Amino acid sequence: RARAVASSDRCFKPFFQTMAVVKPQHPSRPQPQAGRSGQGSATVRRPGTVRPPSSAPQTPAPKEGQMVAKAELEEEPPVSKGAAKEELLDSGPALTAEVDERIQQATDQVVIAEIEATQALESAHAMMEGEVKEDTLKVVEELLQGQQAAMLDVHKVLAADIMDARRSAPKAVPLLNNLTPRVRSVQASLAQEMKRTKQLYGKKKQEADEARERAKAAEGLMKNEQRDAKALEEALPEAMETVTSAEETLDAVMTAASPLSIDFADPNSEPIQVAIKDTEAAVAKALEAIKTARAKLNKKVSEAKGFAPEAKKVALTEYLTLQEKLNEAQKKLTPYVRIRKDQEQRQEAKKVTAEVASALGAVELEVEKVMNLLKSTQPSEEEVKSAESMLPPTVAGLAKVMKLVAQKLHDSQGALKEDLLQMQNRCSEGKKKLEASRTQLRALQEQVYVQSMLRQGLEKTQVAEEAFAETVVAEAPFLKGIELEAEEAEEAVLASKDAAVAAEAKVYAAKSFLKAKLADVNRFPEEVREATVDELSQLQSRVEVVESKLAAFKRETNSREASILLQEVVVKINNADAQVNKTVELSALLAVDKIEEMGVGKLKEATQRTLEAEKVAAIACADAKKMIQVKQKEGQAKDSPGYAAELVSLQSRLTDVMQKLGEQRKVAVQGEKLWKSKLIVQEKEDQMKHLEKDIEEAELLTTPLGDEDPSADKIIEMDACVTGVQKTLDEIVQSLEQARQGAQGSLKNQLAKLLGRTKKSQEAIDEMRATTREQRERAQCEEILSEARAKLEKVTAAFQQVAEAEVPYLKGEETLPAGEAIKAVASCEAAATAVQQAIAEAQSFIASKIGKVKRLLEVVATSGLAELQAFSAKVEDSKDKLAQFNQETDGRKRIALAQEASLRVQEAEEAVQRTVLAAAPLAAEEETSQDAAQEIVEKLGETEREAQDKVAEARTFLLERQRDRKAKLEATELAALVQRLNTVQVDLAKAKATSSEIEQRFVAKVLVQEATENYRGLESELEKTIEAAAPLTSEGGKVFVVASMTKTVLDALSESATKNNQSKDQIFLQISSGAAEGKVTESEFVNFLEKIPEICSRADLAFSSEQRLAIFEYMDSDKDGMISKTDFIDMFQDRYICLEEVPITDGLDPLQSKTIDTLLVDDVVEVLGEQKSLETFGLIRVEVRVLKDGTTGWVTIQNNLGTAHFSPFTAYTQFIRNLDRTITTVQSNIGRVSNFMKTKSHDLREVKEGPLANAKAELAQMRPKVNIMQTKLEQLHKKVEEGKREHSKREEYEKRKQEEKKDRKAASLVLKAISERADKAQKALLHLEQSAKPLVSVGQEDLNSVEKPLTARNAVTSASKSLSSLVGEAKECFAANDVRVATAVRGPWLDARQDMAKLQKQVEGIEKKAKAVTERSQRAFDWLVESTVGHASVAMRKDIKAKGKSIEALYVELAGGSDGLIAEPSFNNYLHSLPGIRFTAEQMQLLFQKGSAGGLSRRVFSGMVERYFRCVKEIAITSDFDIKNSTTLRKLEIEEFVEVTEGPQSDESLGVMRIRARVLSDGITGWITAKGNQGTPFLQECPKPCYVACASVALQDGFASQGCNEVRSLRAGEVVEVLEGPRQEIVGNAIRARGKVESDGATGWFTIKDKQGDDCAKQGKTTFTCISGIALTNDRNIKDCKVLRKLDKGENLVVLEGPIEDEGAGVTRIRARAPKDSMEGWVTTKGNAGSLYAQETGRTYMVCTSMPLQSGFQSDTANNLKVLAEGETIELLEGPKEEKSSTTQRVYVRALTDGKTGWLTVKKDTMRLWSPNYRCASASTMSSDLKASKKVRDVDVDEIMELIEGPTVDAQGALRLKCCAEKDGSIGWMTIFTSEGKLILECQQVK
């Protein structure tokens, strides 16, 4: 295999030697030595030796005569596979032989090693089978270790060979690498076997060790058992003797104690005392003996536990028995141990009485003490505790005495017993006293417990509140207005979390305590329980408030923590919200109240703009949603508890935004539908006009003129006209109905009017139809009759064909010839079929039209039906005639078929006879030539086939006749024909047998001859194919690479000539001075090629000298060493190759030109001019000349579908196409020949002898040769494919080199451009810094000294714009090349990446600095504006206070009247008059820029004096200006308003803006940060907070929860200014129920107790319902009562008294009132037999105060059904239920119209923040004064007005204001609401 590869690679050697690029030796690299270090030049090594690697890569020196290109000295392209192959092949044949030898040696070493390893493994397996000894395992281990070492040597040798081959012969590396897996596989097997051997060796060794240990242990155990058994025999008698001695001492004790058993003995007598003493001495001796025995026995047991198992078991059993004996002795001795004490107790028993009496007296004394402590009505807590502490010991003492008395009483007698009984009675009385005291103490304990519990609850509640207060301290850093750094923010969040955890623990402790105590308090008495529950509930409410605040604090903390992580998401959502708001603004024009007034064009434009904005908003929402999904997948939620919650909140916010967007889309879609509907209305209006005109014309056409019988054409015309207008009308109606489905307002009315017109038009059409009905139906009937006549005529014509078909049978001949008879029968059948079809059509038509004619008018239908019936009769006659004809035809057909059968048999006989005659020459023994034999065989074959076919046809025909029942032949006749046919078949078989042998000889000869010719043809084609592929497989495709380089040079020269307006002749003259003679030499042209990079400005065209020489040789087509001018110019010609057949025409226009010829696939053409584009046809055409025949004409390069018919022609492409086609053809031919031989061999598989068997053998010999050809072709194909790949690599390499040259130049230009822009941006930054210097070079305390702030701000703005433009240009350069730089993996762009990164960083730094300077200057300017306004505001407030003026009075004074504006000079003069005001001119402009063009309005001036801020971010209110040293008063919530009392002032140390202000909601005054140190706004300046009423609102003098009265009602549009608030009003919950009013049966919801806690309805009487008829009587006594009336079943009763049981009568009665008629009386509910007459069904409520009966549970939203009067009764149906009340916002306001003040509730639907901007909702006028005496101008819808004064109510009751138009600055009075309530001006919402 290696030799084959080397052989194939040698074919590339000439090309590689010519085109190879030789790299120079790098000076820093060591040069290769003559031999390897220490090894000489030897290349063959012993197995196991390793050659040390070279210290540096070795590069072969270039061969003599090779040139080094200048461009290639500059760079070292990566060595490709092709380059490696070149280096290998450059070493020559000797090196290749060395490689082959090396590969063979390595392979032999590996194979030998594998064999040895396999043998070693087999030996190891054999030695380890069965019982394996340790010595055997050692042998196996040594064997495998030796083999492993040998394989390691082989592996090292192979690795060294591979390393050496990589340097000297890379082609051999893959072959050597293939040996590595084999070596590793063997090593793995050896390692596995070695592991297995070691494991088995270790296991065997372990088993042997364990066996030795077990034997040793067993031997030692046996010795121990013997030793221990002997020791037990020695120790056991001693132990038994010790135990026996101990038992004997027990007998001595019993003997000594015997005198003590006498009961009457004197306990103090000497014998008794001696006995006691002796007994004690004996007991002591016995105890000592038992103790000694037990100690000895325990020692023996301890020793026995160390015995061997069996000895241990026996010893422990014996010793256990002895221990049990000792225990028995101990038990018996125990009663004697206390002998003296027992005697003493007997003496003491006599003293019990005295002792009990004494103890009882002491107990009684303690009982008295307890009772005395509890005697007072309100004992103190100390007394209760003392009683509580005394009671248990007293009770215990009494119980002890009672127990003692009971014990002694049981054994006492006589006087002692009586004394003890008296003591027992005294104990019982003491016990009763103690029980009473216990009960009293328990009540007192409950009282003390409740007080303690409430005190603890209060303490825990206070602790929880204090802990929550710590959270405010913890979050103080966030509330001081300072933007915290990341670390500070994290610390603050951590502190907040810790504070929250601590507070949560305290809250939980308090909550749990209160909850437990609320459950525990249920065991107290009711009077104590209620009061305690109330107090605990109050504490619980306080804890719940703290808990809710703590939850809000935790959410805020989590939100702050998550805000850092989710800032990007917030930006996205804000962007989406802004886009949606923009969509909302655009969709405002599509509001319902405006949309009807808009025209179609304006409506369409508004809709389209809204839809476009909706798309942008939808994309923004999608981006935000995607960002949220990304954040949801991140794992940060685990570290931050609020992360997921904040994500959910943001998701919810995004959902709201998307929902809002969806609503706007609906509005836009509705608008789109509307303008389309309006357009439809306009279109249908025009169509209706035309239709009505057409209807008038139709009416004129259908109006009778006195002609009773109009012509058919006129009738058709009338019908067509009416049908046409009806169709048009139907289309219009359908369109209008569809448009009306979604129409609203005036559009719907317009559509209704149009539909009304369509109804009138329909009526007119219906009238026309009625007028012309008879005429139209006559015309229809006549049309039907005409068609019926045509059908009958068709039947008649078909019968004419029948007559013509049976003519041959009507001439008098009974039997026709067979052929004529068959034709005649076929004609008759065809004619009969045609008649049958015509009759069916006529019959079907008449049947279908009879019903239609019947539906016509009677006068028309009568005549039409008569004629149709006549036609039907004619059709029936025709059917009879046809049946007769078919019968005659069947007879004639049978005769014709018999004739045909005889004729077919006869033809078969004749064909067989011809076969016999044809086979006769073969029967003769004379030899014939091959041609003659072939002719005979062919003729014989034809006659045989013909005879066989005839016989088969005749047999098939006879079978068909036999099966045909309709035209069946006679049986005898059919049998005779079959017999004849069988005879013919036999004759045919004889003829075939005669010709078989000679035919085989002929076929065998022809077969062998054809196979031989095919094989020789294949040989010739294969040789030609190999020769054709030689330029690629042998020469390496050199010519194609040179052609590609030549094409590149020519394209560059052509481009340069076009750019410089040069012709091809002029280019040729530039080559050299000799070019004028028409030819250039080799040296001249090569020198010219060297100048091309400079001529064309293309660095990639710098070729090496060898490449330039190759280009010259390629262009020298005639090989005369010269390039002529003609050859040079011809090389510029563009050539294309045809991809599919294309016509060539004589002109450009394909329609007006003539086709000259058709180009075939692969035809090559030469372009003669520029391509022309025919826009009319979408074609691209060009004039060409066909190279094969010189034909010129126009062809289509690309059709109108973009399909190309031609591709650029290159020599390589054409070569590959031809070569692929040739290989495919040869492959096909080989397959064809192979299939031919395979097929023939298969056909001859059964032939065993004869000529064909010999032919089969010759075919078998040829088939392997064909397979060899197939293999050669496949090898050639592989070489071609390899050549293609190598050629592609070479072209790619060359192309990459050229591209790198171009990229290097492009990269340098880009870097230069970016560097220039960066330098300009740097200069612009310096200019910006210089411009901003007046504002940023001074501190905030010195900013007031800036005299020209506006000039400085404008200069900064201009410089910033200029710098931004330069930075934008630089960024554009970055963006334009970003993809190329980012995707570059090598080359110049990769080198330029680092430089561009530095420049980009520089530009970004400039941009960042510029942004910082701009922001800093803007902050300084803003601060200066704030400071100036603040100083002016403070000065004006002081002046107003000092002069005692009002703001209004000062305004009138400065404006010169109540209706004017304050002019700038007047305002400036006033300010300069104030003390402490020293403003420059531009600083004064800062103040006045808030005003309008005419001056300062009243509202602007008031806002300048009274400054208000609105909280936009939570911030702390502190006591002092200094944040660090101040205390936090409370937290200012978002949307709270404050009034400035001092400031703004700047805190230089922290860089924040602070103000001193009063909070409107609660009046707290303190210092607040308005803007943080990072520019974050916490307060936003705003006008004085005002609200505008959206609907009628009640102005009240107090809070509703505290009881209030209405001051007056505000009307819609009135404006109020906030004086105090907003404050939260917590309203109680109402109790509601659903009931049925007794008076009228109305059902609904009513209020039992309102939200203020007042009763609206009180529980009334119980109701009963009659379940059967019963009497209503006047008296309770059932016997003396009078019946008032009968109560019906189902009637309700209201109980007034009872139920009362009448014991005498045995019934239950109630006094009740019947709501039906208000009659009162007594009713029996239960009879004396138990029957029920009425049963309780519910309760009633009595209305206390008038209130509404409502439809729903929620009182705020339900509709009022009726007003319930006081005293009405309501039957309860559902409830009562508690209606939860929400917290309301209340503000104290002053109405601007009349100055009335009061409190009102702020709701979204009634009140909203007021804005001074109003939108004109309805077209109106602007007048000059309040009375509207003079008109200023008209005001259009959607114009914006800014309030100057008002609103004010005029004399007519209209609400008006003075305003300024945004459109043109017009000033005047306008109406907000008319006196009738119509809205003219709509207050815009505050954003």
Side-chain angles (χ1 to χ4, degrees), residues 219-235 303-312 315:
E219 184 179 356
L221 181 61
M222 181 62 69
K223 292 179 180 179
N224 292 337
E225 287 284 359
Q226 294 174 358
R227 181 197 65 205
D228 294 340
K230 185 177 181 180
L232 179 59
E233 289 177 0
E234 295 175 354
E303 293 174 354
K305 288 180 179 179
F307 289 177
E310 290 298 328
K312 177 182 177 181

Side-chain angles (χ1 to χ4, degrees), residues 1569-1612:
T1569 300
K1571 185 179 291 185
N1573 58 348
Q1574 299 296 325
T1576 303
F1578 295 94
L1579 300 180
Q1580 187 178 68
E1581 187 170 8
C1582 64
K1584 186 172 184 178
C1586 298
Y1587 283 92
V1588 60
C1590 304
S1592 179
V1593 184
L1595 188 66
Q1596 300 168 328
D1597 60 0
F1599 276 43
S1601 59
Q1602 301 171 357
C1604 61
N1605 298 318
E1606 183 174 329
V1607 176
R1608 76 174 181 88
S1609 179
L1610 296 177
R1611 61 187 291 184

Side-chain angles (χ1 to χ4, degrees), residues 20-34:
V21 177
V22 181
K23 295 183 290 186
Q25 294 290 342
H26 199 281
S28 62
R29 297 176 181 172
Q31 300 301 318
Q33 304 299 323

Side-chain angles (χ1 to χ4, degrees), residues 143-160:
L143 175 64
L144 294 177
Q145 287 177 348
Q147 195 59 40
Q148 279 184 324
M151 288 305 299
L152 182 61
D153 292 341
V154 172
H155 197 176
K156 290 179 179 178
V157 172
L158 182 60

Side-chain angles (χ1 to χ4, degrees), residues 144 148 186-197 199:
L144 294 177
Q148 279 184 324
V186 175
Q187 287 178 328
S189 299
L190 290 171
Q192 184 176 0
E193 190 64 27
M194 175 62 74
K195 181 179 179 181
R196 177 169 168 265
T197 302
Q199 290 176 349

